[in-house]
Amino acid sequence: MNRQRAEAIRLHEKAVLEKRERQRLERELRMQQEYCRRVQEEALRQQVRCCSHHRPSATAPSVHTRALTHTHFVTITQEAERLVLLMEKEEAELIERLRNTQSLQRAAYDQLQATLDV
């Protein structure tokens, strides 16, 4: 009876720990996605500012302005792609950490179960 109750408590605690870890990883992922979104929005604002700042007249942009805008856009796009790749790498690392944590918890659980069964 006590053994079953202790086992139920351990299982519950294990589930709570796994849930907290999963929530923490999800929170980190959301923060990274929010950061990426903000960077992209800022890049777009910079592009708009660049276009309006370098435009000599409101109706006809010069060749220089178009080239500058395109170069600026390419730079912004490359930075956004770099950030996305970085976030994907971090996400893969977090997923791997979660899997390792789950494996450790499973091994500890199995060891505890074997000990209790003896």
Side-chain angles (χ1 to χ4, degrees), residues 7 10-11 14 17-18 100-116:
E7 183 64 26
R10 279 194 271 311
L11 286 174
K14 178 184 171 192
L17 288 175
E18 288 176 353
N100 289 341
T101 301
Q102 289 174 336
S103 295
L104 287 173
Q105 288 175 346
R106 249 186 240 110
Y109 174 79
D110 291 341
Q111 184 181 7
L112 180 62
Q113 186 68 26
T115 303
L116 291 175

Side-chain angles (χ1 to χ4, degrees), residues 62-104:
S62 68
V63 171
H64 173 71
T65 302
R66 283 192 300 257
L68 181 63
T69 302
H70 177 71
T71 303
H72 187 70
F73 178 74
V74 168
T75 303
I76 291 169
T77 302
Q78 289 171 342
E79 177 64 13
E81 288 174 357
R82 186 187 68 77
L83 288 172
V84 167
L85 289 174
L86 179 64
M87 285 177 37
E88 287 174 350
K89 180 182 174 189
E90 289 175 357
E91 179 184 16
E93 289 171 358
L94 290 171
I95 289 170
E96 185 61 30
R97 281 178 49 198
L98 177 61
R99 286 183 180 147
N100 289 341
T101 301
Q102 289 174 336
S103 295
L104 287 173

